[in-house]
Amino acid sequence: MLFAVSAPNFCISYPRSPNFTHFLRRHSVPTRLCIRASLLENNNGAKMEYTPWLIVGLGNPGNKYHGTRHNVGFEMIDSISRAEGIVMNTIQSKALIGIGSIGEVPILLAKPQAYMNYSGEAVGPLAAHYQVPLRHILLVYDDMSLPNGVLRLQPKGGHGHHNGVRSVMGHLDGCRGFPRLCIGIGNPPGTMDLKAFLLQKFSSVERQQIDAGLEQGVEAVRSLMLHGFNQRINTFNLGQKYKYHKV
Amino acid sequence: MALKLAIPFPISAPPPNPSHHRPPTEVRFSRWYNANAEKFEARRRAQKEIEDDIRRVRRFDSASRIANIPETATTSSLNETETFKSIGTPSSPSSPSIPGKKSKYSKNPNYNNNSHPAFKLTPKTIKIPSEPQPVARDANITIGEDGVSYVIDGAPFEFKYSYTETPKAKPVKLRERPFVPFGPTTMPRPWTGRAPLPPSKKPLREFDSFRLPPPNKKGVKPVQAPGPFLAGAGPCHAASREEILGEPLTKEEIGALVNGCMKSNRQLNMGRDGLTHNMLDNIHALWKRRRVCKIKCKGVCTVDMDNVRQQLEERTGGKIIYGKGGVLFLFRGRNYNYRTHPRFPLMLWKPIPPVYPRLIRQVPEGLTQEEATEMRNKGQKLIPICKIGKNGVYCDLVKNVREAFEECELVRINCEGVNGSDYRRIGAKLKDLVPCVLISFAYEHILMWRGQNWKSSIPKLDTDDGEEAKKSSVHDALPFEGQEVSASFAPMISVQAASPETLSIGMSPMGSVDVGVEGGEDLSSIENVKLSVGAVSQECRSDDAVLDNTSCTHEGLQTTTMGSDINAGTVGSAGSRMEVVQDLNERARLSAPCTEGVLLLRKQAVDNGSAIILDDESLDGDIIYQRAVAFAKYAPPGPVFRHRPRKVAVQKPEEQEKTKDLKEMDDTRVPSERSEKTANVKRRKDFDVLNQDVVTQGSLRVDELAKLLA
């Protein structure tokens, strides 16, 4: 694993995995690196995927929009970065990113600094540069079809009339097959204007619900990275769906 | 002045033919059409009317024949029209001109030129199954075991008022004296509610599904042929249920049948009484004309659609070919013949519903009085899991209630607006299906408790977590022994120096051991770590397995309970060492081999000029945004994300290897793969119009590539 030592020699030091020999022949330019074959160290044959995950939170940049409903994606990313100790200090492709890992899985946290409708411009090139496959892009965003504070992890879905998700889908080659974490914010009350509702800050009760929800979400994200989509995620979704129907 | 006319006023055309309207005084037994009494109910025409009809039909036929003579008329047709001779009417054929002599005009009008007795074919004797004997009208009727079903001798199964909605509980008593709903048994004919018409002399034509009327016949309601059959096959006379159904239907046949029936209005509605006895007769009446019967279920009966389906198939003998939500399509069978369908006596009156034991007990079993009242009070504040409306489709209700019981032992359902007896029936069904105990129906809500013997259906997953952690940690310890930890640290620490906050932030989740590591890591501590790395890595192997796991597993296993317990345990013994070890953990976590690749990519991006790393002070929202905007103006455009489905990626690269050696590894591989392009074009249609100018950014590079490769 002597990556950092000398770039031109790296090809030689990787005789092991079949994927790598394939890539060796493909490009003679040594400066480029492929991290596709990260299925290393599988001595026990355990099926853990070490391909990096890109976790993107959608929101509007700037302090003016801090704490509004449409920016819950940003808040989720902030709580993940606090929990995992990842500092977000790099600006690349119109987004603020931070690199770290959960367990053995490398993750990239990203907060696009383009306005919501153009988030895709930030996400697409980022995913392409870091060679993150579509199934490892986790999009975190607000969802009005769920009650306030209820989270849901889905392996794929549609845009649900969310302009940010729509732009991301467009820049990801029109694909909808990436997992998402939807954070519920509830319907606008009565005849309130939709945009005004989204750019409003949370009320105190809702704030507490959202904070609790974010913590649970961090746990869920960890479980997703480590174990993928399995029964645990279904249990999590069920628990979230009925979490307010308790006495 | 009044005019006196010879002919009484008003002068008008002769009165129009009495059309087939019934005399106004006749009472119709409107609510329940009784198929068994058809021959007593159909109106018979008088002789004169029959003759008038025949006259009219013949007149119209001749007129239409004249009107439709083709222009190139052959002599034969002309001959026919010219040589037409009247043969009178059936009751008064033309009398012969020479009395006593047989005249060709007074012969049997049905006698054709072709039908000489010598040429008549003897019909083959085909054994046709006769109509099934309807249940004898005066057979014994007894009440069945559950107190609501009627057992009649000769009936294939016991009759109930409703086959799907009969509660499983036994009735306690009846409110009034019981009566038999099948009509009186004293008459030789079915009860029709009025005096019967005189029977007609004309034999009633029987409806046989296998002999269809000719397609152009007027006055005949459309009938669908039996089937569907493959070309050449025909219907066969079937007796048993499986024979009537015939071969199982193929997918295309099902699709065709369902599509034909989808938009038709002809359907049966099933409501709060479920599958009633008389509905069976209606289904057969629908099957007389069409192969598929559409049944729409709404309301209470949809809570248990499986039971509805099973009862339908069992009682009618048909098969359900498609069902979605509350709609069911019931196929009659390939060899179904209306003539031989089972005939049951109809229920003419609704039987008196018996009294059932109460659904809700004041003190349900397993609870004391206080607990019960406490539950009821808690239930007032509980948020209902869903709201059901009148006549809705409640297929998912059982599943949702079961899921909700996983979280809380009480579940509340909002039934405002629904009929009282309806939501009580829903409650009774839920009590049987989701096993639960009903607590209250107050304020038009259903409150349920999951019962004492409730078991969760989701397997516990906590044990998996611990096991996996142990497994992975043990295995991870092995490869890290041979690792040159220090070498990999060197380049990383320069990056870490810029962001020492992470260490302090990262310490907080450790929880139990905060041994003064917070509050500023200076470079000195980092150097310490560097020096002691070698020592620690030596110690790793020599220590017992417990510490081994904590120090050498740099992965974030700190979240597992195992890690934190051990940390807490060894605080006293190796306080300072734990500090170092934790420093090691944090550093190592950030510089773990898994992130190396990603970090290298980032480094390349920085070198490339597409990324910049900010320092601490400028981590404020607005500053970040401004710097990002400024940076984006002069940064080179990033690569475009291309989704490559796995299948394509496996096959194509091998070919391309041979043909194109000097292919620059780029993220866009568009020009060579046509199939993807068309897929891309299709997907991009949904893309928002606003952002189209962005797309061109990526495509520029593609054009350059194409020029290079061309």
Side-chain angles (χ1 to χ4, degrees):
Chain A
M1 248 111 33
L2 302 174
F3 266 112
V5 177
S6 51
N9 292 344
F10 86 100
C11 303
I12 306 164
S13 64
Y14 263 93
R16 313 187 225 189
S17 33
N19 283 352
F20 246 83
T21 47
H22 149 71
F23 279 117
L24 266 179
R25 263 189 249 136
R26 277 240 341 253
H27 47 276
S28 53
V29 181
T31 52
R32 299 286 183 156
L33 176 68
C34 192
I35 45 171
R36 270 291 186 79
S38 323
L39 279 168
L40 317 162
E41 320 305 336
N42 263 343
N43 294 337
N44 55 349
K47 269 281 173 186
M48 266 181 76
E49 284 217 61
Y50 300 93
T51 8
W53 278 78
L54 172 66
I55 306 181
V56 185
L58 294 183
N60 290 310
N63 284 340
K64 184 166 91 162
Y65 297 103
H66 181 71
T68 60
R69 280 177 225 263
H70 220 25
N71 271 35
V72 270
F74 275 16
E75 296 187 21
M76 185 74 201
I77 298 284
D78 287 335
S79 38
I80 296 178
S81 70
R82 269 195 302 266
E84 298 297 325
I86 299 170
V87 69
M88 305 193 51
N89 55 359
T90 311
I91 292 185
Q92 182 180 350
S93 147
K94 296 185 205 165
L96 179 69
I97 61 176
I99 302 180
S101 70
I102 294 180
E104 281 224 358
V105 182
I107 56 172
L108 257 109
L109 298 173
K111 295 183 3 180
Q113 297 295 312
Y115 282 100
M116 183 62 93
N117 290 356
Y118 304 105
S119 308
E121 295 173 18
V123 175
L126 212 54
H129 177 80
Y130 286 97
Q131 294 159 18
V132 179
L134 192 71
R135 63 184 191 283
H136 276 210
I137 302 176
L138 181 70
L139 201 65
V140 185
Y141 60 93
D142 53 308
D143 193 352
M144 282 194 290
S145 61
L146 294 168
N148 192 59
V150 171
L151 277 73
R152 188 164 63 183
L153 264 174
Q154 291 164 307
K156 57 180 177 177
H159 54 70
H161 300 291
H162 191 291
N163 282 336
V165 181
R166 208 186 282 160
S167 107
V168 167
M169 263 164 56
H171 276 93
L172 288 179
D173 213 13
C175 304
R176 341 169 2 148
F178 51 89
R180 314 104 189 281
L181 176 61
C182 305
I183 306 180
I185 52 174
N187 278 321
T191 51
M192 186 174 189
D193 184 26
L194 196 69
K195 294 168 193 159
F197 176 72
L198 288 174
L199 295 178
Q200 209 185 37
K201 301 213 194 240
F202 287 106
S203 70
S204 51
V205 171
E206 289 175 353
R207 187 75 246 175
Q208 285 163 11
Q209 289 176 334
I210 291 279
D211 290 336
L214 289 180
E215 280 170 51
Q216 293 157 4
V218 170
E219 275 304 314
V221 167
R222 261 196 213 123
S223 139
L224 177 67
M225 305 283 128
L226 295 175
H227 309 292
F229 274 98
N230 63 357
Q231 185 56 36
R232 223 176 300 238
I233 303 291
N234 291 344
T235 326
F236 167 75
N237 283 342
L238 265 180
Q240 287 292 312
K241 185 173 168 191
Y242 293 109
K243 75 180 186 183
Y244 295 135
H245 301 284
K246 290 195 218 191
V247 275
Chain B
M1 41 184 187
L3 288 171
K4 262 227 164 145
L5 299 168
I7 313 161
F9 194 76
I11 308 164
S12 58
N17 272 325
S19 49
H20 301 290
H21 66 266
R22 297 174 183 275
T25 51
E26 185 173 312
V27 169
R28 301 190 70 172
F29 204 67
S30 58
R31 189 154 185 230
W32 304 75
Y33 170 70
N34 196 342
N36 295 337
E38 202 184 322
K39 58 175 142 201
F40 298 101
E41 298 224 1
R43 187 180 169 278
R44 301 292 150 210
R45 298 177 292 179
Q47 183 62 28
K48 186 168 175 307
E49 285 173 18
I50 295 173
E51 291 188 10
D52 286 343
D53 278 343
I54 294 178
R55 224 175 276 132
R56 201 179 322 115
V57 162
R58 283 200 196 142
R59 206 182 307 147
F60 285 157
D61 278 345
S62 62
S64 56
R65 225 180 292 143
I66 292 169
N68 293 340
I69 283 178
E71 281 161 359
T72 58
T74 56
T75 49
S76 57
S77 60
L78 278 173
N79 279 340
E80 279 175 20
T81 49
E82 280 171 5
T83 57
F84 176 75
K85 295 283 184 207
S86 157
I87 49 177
T89 63
S91 55
S92 51
S94 320
S95 42
S97 345
I98 302 170
K101 184 178 179 202
K102 274 203 175 150
S103 155
K104 60 183 170 181
Y105 305 116
S106 58
K107 272 191 251 192
N108 188 355
N110 293 334
Y111 199 83
N112 287 330
N113 294 335
N114 309 331
S115 58
H116 193 271
F119 296 121
K120 276 206 182 109
L121 296 166
T122 48
K124 270 188 281 188
T125 47
I126 303 169
K127 186 165 160 271
I128 297 172
S130 55
E131 273 190 34
Q133 291 298 316
V135 174
R137 203 159 290 117
D138 50 355
N140 280 344
I141 302 184
T142 52
I143 306 279
E145 282 163 8
D146 54 356
V148 273
S149 42
Y150 303 95
V151 182
I152 304 182
D153 301 339
F157 47 82
E158 52 182 37
F159 299 144
K160 294 184 206 174
Y161 171 64
S162 161
Y163 294 106
T164 58
E165 301 292 310
T166 321
K168 294 193 185 112
K170 284 220 177 250
V172 169
K173 63 174 179 123
L174 286 172
R175 278 179 229 273
E176 300 165 10
R177 281 199 51 174
F179 58 86
V180 172
F182 293 108
T185 54
T186 50
M187 302 181 294
R189 54 173 178 85
W191 169 260
T192 50
R194 53 180 163 77
L197 289 172
S200 75
K201 296 181 194 114
K202 188 170 166 187
L204 184 62
R205 192 176 5 165
E206 282 182 2
F207 188 95
D208 189 345
S209 297
F210 293 170
R211 279 187 304 171
L212 300 172
N216 294 334
K217 184 148 177 143
K218 276 201 294 203
V220 163
K221 286 194 211 159
V223 180
Q224 222 179 6
F229 294 113
L230 299 173
C236 65
H237 293 283
S240 79
R241 215 185 123 176
E242 290 77 21
E243 284 172 39
I244 294 181
L245 280 178
E247 291 283 303
L249 290 173
T250 64
K251 267 194 177 167
E252 299 87 25
E253 288 175 336
I254 291 180
L257 284 172
V258 166
N259 280 335
C261 211
M262 208 55 109
K263 296 213 175 155
S264 70
N265 295 334
R266 210 180 157 104
Q267 69 187 34
L268 280 178
N269 294 321
M270 202 187 283
R272 58 172 73 97
D273 281 332
L275 180 66
T276 55
H277 181 73
N278 293 345
M279 196 184 240
L280 297 176
D281 198 59
N282 289 346
I283 292 176
H284 283 289
L286 269 174
W287 276 345
K288 188 180 183 183
R289 303 277 165 197
R290 296 195 68 82
R291 291 176 192 159
V292 181
C293 173
K294 184 159 99 165
I295 299 179
K296 263 209 161 89
C297 309
K298 281 190 185 170
V300 180
C301 55
T302 52
V303 175
D304 192 9
M305 283 305 287
D306 291 331
N307 185 27
V308 168
R309 271 180 235 235
Q310 189 245 327
Q311 291 291 332
L312 263 177
E313 290 196 340
E314 208 183 289
R315 310 287 176 181
T316 60
K319 192 156 173 12
I320 294 185
I321 52 176
Y322 178 73
K324 186 166 177 182
V327 188
L328 295 173
F329 288 86
L330 197 58
F331 177 60
R332 69 185 180 186
R334 292 189 200 244
N335 304 316
Y336 174 83
N337 193 342
Y338 182 75
R339 204 164 55 85
T340 53
H341 87 264
R343 321 268 165 129
F344 312 130
L346 294 182
M347 282 202 194
L348 303 179
W349 306 286
K350 191 168 170 180
I352 297 176
V355 179
Y356 288 98
R358 292 191 75 88
L359 280 174
I360 294 181
R361 295 170 51 177
Q362 261 303 100
V363 181
E365 49 204 40
L367 288 180
T368 60
Q369 170 77 25
E370 295 85 28
E371 283 175 5
T373 37
E374 193 201 318
M375 271 192 189
R376 290 189 179 111
N377 291 335
K378 273 201 269 183
Q380 300 295 323
K381 290 173 270 165
L382 189 56
I383 300 177
I385 60 167
C386 63
K387 175 159 191 343
I388 54 181
K390 200 173 100 136
N391 278 343
V393 179
Y394 318 129
C395 308
D396 292 337
L397 197 59
V398 173
K399 190 175 81 128
N400 287 343
V401 170
R402 281 197 191 130
E403 284 170 2
F405 274 142
E406 306 280 344
E407 291 299 311
C408 179
E409 58 171 10
L410 286 177
V411 163
R412 203 164 182 231
I413 299 180
N414 191 347
C415 311
E416 280 168 359
V418 179
N419 202 355
S421 65
D422 280 354
Y423 68 72
R424 271 178 243 130
R425 282 187 210 226
I426 293 176
K429 286 185 158 228
L430 287 174
K431 181 165 159 255
D432 290 327
L433 290 170
V434 178
C436 66
V437 174
L438 295 173
I439 300 281
S440 103
F441 281 139
Y443 301 111
E444 299 205 341
H445 285 255
I446 305 177
L447 184 65
M448 295 176 278
W449 177 52
R450 69 186 179 199
Q452 269 196 338
N453 307 327
W454 179 80
K455 277 189 206 71
S456 164
S457 52
I458 298 175
K460 285 286 168 207
L461 292 168
D462 296 345
T463 48
D464 292 355
D465 239 323
E467 281 167 15
E468 270 185 73
K470 282 181 195 142
K471 237 197 329 182
S472 54
S473 61
V474 163
H475 289 291
D476 290 338
L478 300 168
F480 295 143
E481 281 177 10
Q483 208 170 31
E484 296 187 21
V485 182
S486 54
S488 55
F489 277 167
M492 296 311 156
I493 283 177
S494 55
V495 174
Q496 302 322 316
S499 55
E501 305 171 18
T502 53
L503 302 169
S504 52
I505 296 167
M507 293 315 264
S508 33
M510 291 304 272
S512 50
V513 188
D514 287 340
V515 197
V517 187
E518 288 164 1
E521 317 278 307
D522 10 79
L523 289 167
S524 57
S525 64
I526 294 171
E527 279 159 34
N528 280 343
V529 171
K530 219 166 144 188
L531 292 169
S532 55
V533 158
V536 172
S537 58
Q538 296 296 319
E539 286 167 330
C540 273
R541 273 169 249 130
S542 56
D543 282 346
D544 50 332
V546 171
L547 257 184
D548 204 318
N549 286 337
T550 52
S551 53
C552 289
T553 58
H554 338 247
E555 289 54 58
L557 286 172
Q558 67 272 19
T559 53
T560 63
T561 53
M562 193 180 69
S564 54
D565 287 336
I566 291 159
N567 280 342
T570 51
V571 165
S573 59
S576 59
R577 197 156 54 127
M578 284 310 290
E579 262 188 65
V580 171
V581 166
Q582 278 173 9
D583 288 351
L584 180 61
N585 274 351
E586 302 322 313
R587 275 314 148 338
R589 202 155 22 99
L590 294 158
S591 58
C594 48
T595 50
E596 277 183 21
V598 186
L599 287 166
L600 198 74
L601 276 177
R602 180 173 75 169
K603 191 162 170 296
Q604 282 165 4
V606 174
D607 296 336
N608 202 5
S610 11
I612 53 169
I613 299 182
L614 306 171
D615 47 346
D616 284 339
E617 293 89 31
S618 50
L619 283 182
D620 177 50
D622 285 330
I623 300 176
I624 292 175
Y625 173 54
Q626 279 152 20
R627 287 206 68 182
V629 165
F631 179 65
K633 288 194 184 130
Y634 61 83
V640 176
F641 184 87
R642 289 275 172 217
H643 179 53
R644 276 164 292 180
R646 280 268 176 89
K647 290 182 271 188
V648 182
V650 166
Q651 293 156 13
K652 299 262 175 152
E654 275 128 22
E655 299 163 18
Q656 285 167 8
E657 270 178 63
K658 299 161 197 164
T659 53
K660 294 164 188 169
D661 295 324
L662 262 178
K663 192 157 177 234
E664 200 182 328
M665 167 59 182
D666 203 357
D667 299 314
T668 60
R669 263 202 296 151
V670 176
S672 46
E673 286 153 14
R674 290 263 180 85
S675 58
E676 273 187 12
K677 241 192 174 167
T678 49
N680 289 346
V681 166
K682 253 190 266 169
R683 279 186 228 137
R684 288 203 170 240
K685 265 193 210 158
D686 302 329
F687 189 18
D688 205 359
V689 183
L690 283 172
N691 296 337
Q692 262 174 8
D693 52 339
V694 174
V695 178
T696 53
Q697 254 189 7
S699 61
L700 272 178
R701 301 185 83 202
V702 168
D703 289 341
E704 289 169 8
L705 253 185
K707 283 184 206 152
L708 280 173
L709 294 165

